């Protein structure tokens, strides 16, 4: 990545500046907006902790005098905090009692990518900042040439690090949600294991089969594989739903004419017709015989491919050729602890894409309550990450809180056939009751249904219904007596 290319990455970058002096911020702001799509200011550590929970920052610029104070918000600078804390506490950052407390979110860690800003860059100050983990320094008063050089250096270094092998340091680098070392967002055990496995596999020449429901991120996993290589690579994506794309001669010619690592990616491999499976097997034999060691095979399937083999719908020889390694991407319902982090990421992207409306969007987002985040984490997400992204964007742009959004959803057919996912709740959508029921029966059915939706949590149910917790308890006791 050259200095000239740096401006091309602007929409994907976000920076947080922790600086008490507003004049310094004003001098920095115009410079940083050249490189970052989202630039946020915190004049104190309390404000910084609130912003840090709401957004996914690629870089933090911190005044040297507050580094220790900001770091003290995190119980351990190398590990995420107690995962038992509910992610739905995200919205409580505006509460004065919460602001002064330790950051209580299961996905936050002290930023590993930060630059120190200081009026005095003495050798002892530089040494102290380096021990804290600072990657560079900016002196006060602000000099535009120096700031441009520091940010350019950081972006170039970031690009260089991303393109190197990170197998040995994966555990520490993927602990932070602000890490630049993975395109797969999440800090759950399941997604950490996927990241680690992909980085190990990237250094081998084995064929890989990526399995996962629609929307779980198979193409992102492919990007992660490419990112993990130390050298440039080519990619040839073949959609097996269009058998005409599978041309053995074209594949052979493509492999012969490239000397760098070449990824042959077969998307929707389970839908490849039997005659084309034979053709593909012959093509793979040809690649092996010609000694194309730089060719890497990756196949993607939204269903378990071995099930197709058992049904006699997929060649067993081809299966074992393509599935030397298998990585199963977990559905979102199995990594619910990542939902708030993903929500924060999609909000960040939406704000960048609609920068002119950012203030209004932020104001609407700040009104999301506990039950809104509870709805997001409780929902089964049959469309997985893609559905979550769509939902967050709709909620923001339509100015509808998630709780209200789920209430407004019409009754839709189950997606079991399309994505092998059963949705246990209708997400409080359209619901029909017998015409001969009286109001008391309807009230009872609806309240019980809301309580079940919140897994028995009567506080959230009461908030949803717009009544007190005592009212819900009283109604339940009356029904028990009846």
């Amino acid at each position: 990545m050259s200095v000239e290319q740096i401006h091309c990455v602007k929409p994907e970058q976000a920076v947080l500046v922790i600086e008490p002096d507003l004049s310094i911020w004003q001098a920095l702001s115009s410079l940083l907006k050249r490189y970052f799509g989202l630039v946020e200011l915190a004049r104190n550590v309390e404000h910084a902790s609130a912003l840090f929970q709401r957004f996914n920052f690629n870089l933090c610029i911190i005044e040297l005098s507050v580094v220790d104070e900001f770091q003290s918000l995190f119980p351990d600078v190398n590990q995420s905090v107690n995962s038992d804390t509910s992610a739905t506490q995200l919205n409580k950052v505006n509460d004065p009692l919460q602001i002064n407390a330790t950051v209580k979110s299961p996905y936050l860690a002290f930023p590993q990518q930060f630059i120190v800003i200081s009026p005095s860059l003495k050798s002892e100050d530089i040494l102290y900042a380096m021990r804290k983990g600072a990657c560079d320094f900016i002196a006060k008063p602000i000099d535009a040439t120096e700031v441009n050089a520091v940010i350019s250096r950081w972006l170039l270094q970031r690009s260089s690090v991303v393109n190197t092998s990170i197998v040995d340091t994966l555990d520490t680098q993927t602990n932070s949600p602000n890490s630049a070392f993975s395109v797969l967002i999440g800090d759950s055990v399941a997604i950490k294991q996927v990241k680690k496995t992909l980085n190990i596999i990237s250094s081998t020449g084995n064929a890989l089969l990526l399995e996962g429901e629609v929307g779980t991120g198979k193409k992102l996993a492919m990007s992660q594989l490419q990112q993990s290589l130390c050298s440039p690579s080519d990619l040839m994506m073949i959609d097996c739903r269009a058998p005409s794309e599978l041309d053995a001669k074209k594949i052979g010619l493509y492999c012969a004419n490239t000397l760098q690592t070449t990824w042959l990616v077969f998307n929707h491999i389970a839908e490849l017709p039997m005659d084309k499976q034979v053709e593909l097997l012959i093509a793979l034999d040809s690649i092996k015989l010609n000694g194309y060691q730089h060719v890497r095979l990756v196949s993607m399937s939204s269903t378990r491919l071995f099930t197709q083999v058992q049904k006699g719908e997929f060649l067993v020889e081809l299966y074992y050729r393509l599935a030397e390694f298998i990585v199963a991407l977990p559905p979102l319902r199995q990594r619910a602890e990542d939902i708030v982090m993903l929500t924060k990421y999609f909000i960040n992207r939406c704000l960048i894409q609609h920068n002119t409306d950012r203030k209004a969007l932020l104001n609407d987002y700040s009104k999301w309550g506990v039950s809104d985040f509870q709805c997001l984490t409780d929902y089964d997400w049959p469309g997985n990450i893609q559905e979550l992204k769509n939902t967050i964007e709709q909620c923001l742009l339509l100015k509808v809180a998630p709780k209200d959004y789920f209430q407004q959803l019409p009754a839709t057919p189950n997606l079991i056939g399309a994505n092998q996912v059963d949705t246990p709740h209708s997400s409080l959508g359209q619901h029909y009751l017998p015409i001969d029921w009286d109001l008391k029966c309807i009230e009872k059915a609806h309240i019980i249904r809301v309580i079940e939706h919140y897994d028995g949590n009567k506080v959230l149910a009461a908030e949803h219904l717009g009544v007190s917790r005592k009212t819900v308890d009283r109604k339940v006791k009356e029904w028990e007596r009846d």
Side-chain angles (χ1 to χ4, degrees):
M1 182 186 236
S2 66
V3 176
E4 290 75 15
Q5 292 173 308
I6 285 175
H7 296 286
C8 299
V9 299
K10 174 183 174 182
E12 300 299 325
Q13 308 293 332
V15 61
L16 170 65
V17 181
I18 308 174
E19 171 53 60
D21 190 335
L22 189 58
S23 64
I24 297 295
W25 154 253
Q26 290 171 338
L28 271 175
S29 178
S30 59
L31 296 171
L32 294 175
K33 285 178 180 177
R34 297 177 57 198
Y35 301 94
F36 297 90
L38 183 66
V39 180
E40 289 288 341
L41 165 69
R43 297 187 66 181
N44 53 56
V45 169
E46 290 80 12
H47 187 199
S49 69
L51 289 171
F52 198 71
Q53 291 182 79
R54 293 177 66 185
F55 302 105
N56 187 64
F57 293 107
N58 305 99
L59 174 68
C60 289
I61 299 177
I62 310 176
E63 157 64 41
L64 181 62
S65 62
V66 299
V67 169
D68 278 345
E69 188 182 356
F70 186 59
Q71 190 181 64
S72 69
L73 295 173
F74 305 88
D76 188 329
V77 298
N78 293 317
Q79 296 182 11
S80 299
V81 299
N82 190 346
S83 60
D84 291 335
T85 305
S86 173
T88 58
Q89 294 189 17
L90 178 70
N91 68 301
K92 293 185 179 180
V93 296
N94 293 319
D95 185 337
L97 297 176
Q98 288 291 329
I99 286 177
N100 295 315
T102 300
V103 176
K104 295 180 181 294
S105 291
Y107 50 83
L108 295 180
F110 187 77
Q112 294 184 0
Q113 297 288 307
F114 75 95
I115 294 171
V116 161
I117 181 171
S118 173
S120 170
L121 292 181
K122 298 177 181 178
S123 57
E124 56 265 34
D125 289 338
I126 293 175
L127 183 60
Y128 175 80
M130 288 177 64
R131 285 174 177 167
K132 290 292 181 179
C135 59
D136 215 325
F137 312 87
I138 296 174
K140 296 180 183 179
I142 299 301
D143 178 80
T145 302
E146 180 191 9
V147 173
N148 286 332
V150 169
I151 300 301
S152 298
R153 199 158 51 233
W154 176 77
L155 286 166
L156 289 169
Q157 181 185 22
R158 180 176 184 267
S159 174
S160 173
V161 172
V162 165
N163 289 321
T164 59
S165 177
I166 60 171
V167 175
D168 295 336
T169 55
L170 178 72
D171 287 334
T172 58
Q173 291 174 339
T174 56
N175 275 338
S176 171
N178 298 307
S179 172
F181 301 97
S182 178
V183 298
L184 294 170
I185 298 172
D187 204 28
S188 61
V189 174
I191 205 65
K192 278 185 178 180
Q193 185 59 47
V194 169
K195 293 176 185 178
K196 180 179 288 188
T197 304
L198 288 174
N199 280 280
I200 292 172
I201 291 173
S202 68
S203 61
T204 73
N206 299 90
L208 172 65
L209 173 61
L210 291 171
E211 294 184 332
E213 296 174 6
V214 171
T216 50
K218 293 184 286 297
K219 290 182 179 178
L220 279 179
M222 183 64 240
S223 298
Q224 179 71 31
L225 282 171
Q226 284 186 285
Q227 177 181 283
S228 301
L229 290 181
C230 299
S231 57
S233 61
D234 289 331
L235 184 145
M236 184 178 187
M237 180 77 74
I238 299 169
D239 192 333
C240 296
R241 294 173 299 183
S244 58
E245 289 192 16
L246 188 63
D247 187 325
K249 291 182 179 179
K250 182 179 177 182
I251 292 173
L253 188 64
Y254 183 79
C255 295
N257 290 335
T258 180
L259 298 178
Q260 60 188 19
T261 302
T262 300
W263 301 89
L264 282 181
V265 184
F266 302 102
N267 198 12
H268 302 285
I269 188 67
E271 300 183 40
L272 190 66
M274 186 63 74
D275 60 329
K276 287 293 182 178
Q277 292 178 31
V278 175
E279 187 176 332
L280 176 57
L281 190 58
I282 294 171
L284 296 182
D285 285 337
S286 175
I287 291 172
K288 187 175 181 180
L289 288 172
N290 283 291
Y292 296 139
Q293 299 299 321
H294 59 284
V295 176
R296 302 288 303 276
L297 302 177
V298 178
S299 304
M300 301 180 186
S301 177
S302 299
T303 60
R304 279 205 66 201
L305 194 56
F306 189 69
T307 302
Q308 303 293 96
V309 174
Q310 292 175 317
K311 293 178 179 178
E313 298 173 357
F314 200 88
L315 292 175
V316 64
E317 300 94 330
L318 181 57
Y319 173 80
Y320 286 112
R321 184 69 61 83
L322 298 175
E324 292 177 335
F325 271 92
I326 301 175
V327 172
L329 293 170
L332 198 50
R333 65 183 179 278
Q334 292 180 7
R335 41 180 294 218
E337 58 267 50
D338 290 334
I339 288 175
V340 175
M341 186 193 299
L342 287 162
T343 297
K344 189 173 73 168
Y345 173 75
F346 291 133
I347 287 169
N348 191 9
R349 284 186 56 181
C350 193
L351 289 172
I352 290 172
Q353 293 167 2
H354 301 85
N355 191 50
T356 55
D357 301 321
R358 184 159 68 95
K359 187 174 181 180
L361 294 175
L362 270 173
N363 183 57
D364 292 331
Y365 171 58
S366 66
K367 297 175 183 176
W368 291 13
V370 174
S371 57
D372 293 305
F373 289 99
Q374 189 75 40
C375 285
L376 291 173
T377 53
D378 282 351
Y379 183 56
D380 249 16
W381 301 108
N384 292 293
I385 297 173
Q386 184 61 52
E387 185 184 3
L388 174 63
K389 172 183 174 294
N390 295 347
T391 298
I392 297 304
E393 290 180 351
Q394 289 181 62
C395 287
L396 273 183
L397 299 178
L398 298 177
K399 303 183 185 302
V400 179
K403 178 180 69 175
D404 299 325
Y405 173 84
F406 284 116
Q407 282 183 301
Q408 295 171 10
L409 282 181
T412 54
N414 204 311
L415 297 180
I416 298 175
N419 204 17
Q420 296 74 49
V421 179
D422 188 6
T423 54
H425 304 296
S426 59
S427 300
L428 300 183
Q430 195 169 351
H431 185 64
Y432 297 103
L433 298 170
I435 193 67
D436 57 343
W437 279 19
D438 59 23
L439 286 176
K440 185 176 180 180
C441 291
I442 293 173
E443 178 189 58
K444 178 180 178 181
H446 183 63
I447 292 175
I448 290 176
R449 183 164 169 260
V450 172
I451 293 173
E452 288 177 349
H453 175 76
Y454 290 110
D455 295 326
N457 190 321
K458 294 179 182 177
V459 174
L460 295 177
E463 182 181 337
H464 175 96
L465 293 165
V467 298
S468 68
R469 164 67 186 272
K470 289 183 178 179
T471 299
V472 174
D473 286 336
R474 178 173 53 80
K475 293 286 185 181
V476 172
K477 286 179 180 179
E478 287 176 2
W479 300 328
E480 288 174 351
R481 286 197 300 268
D482 293 342

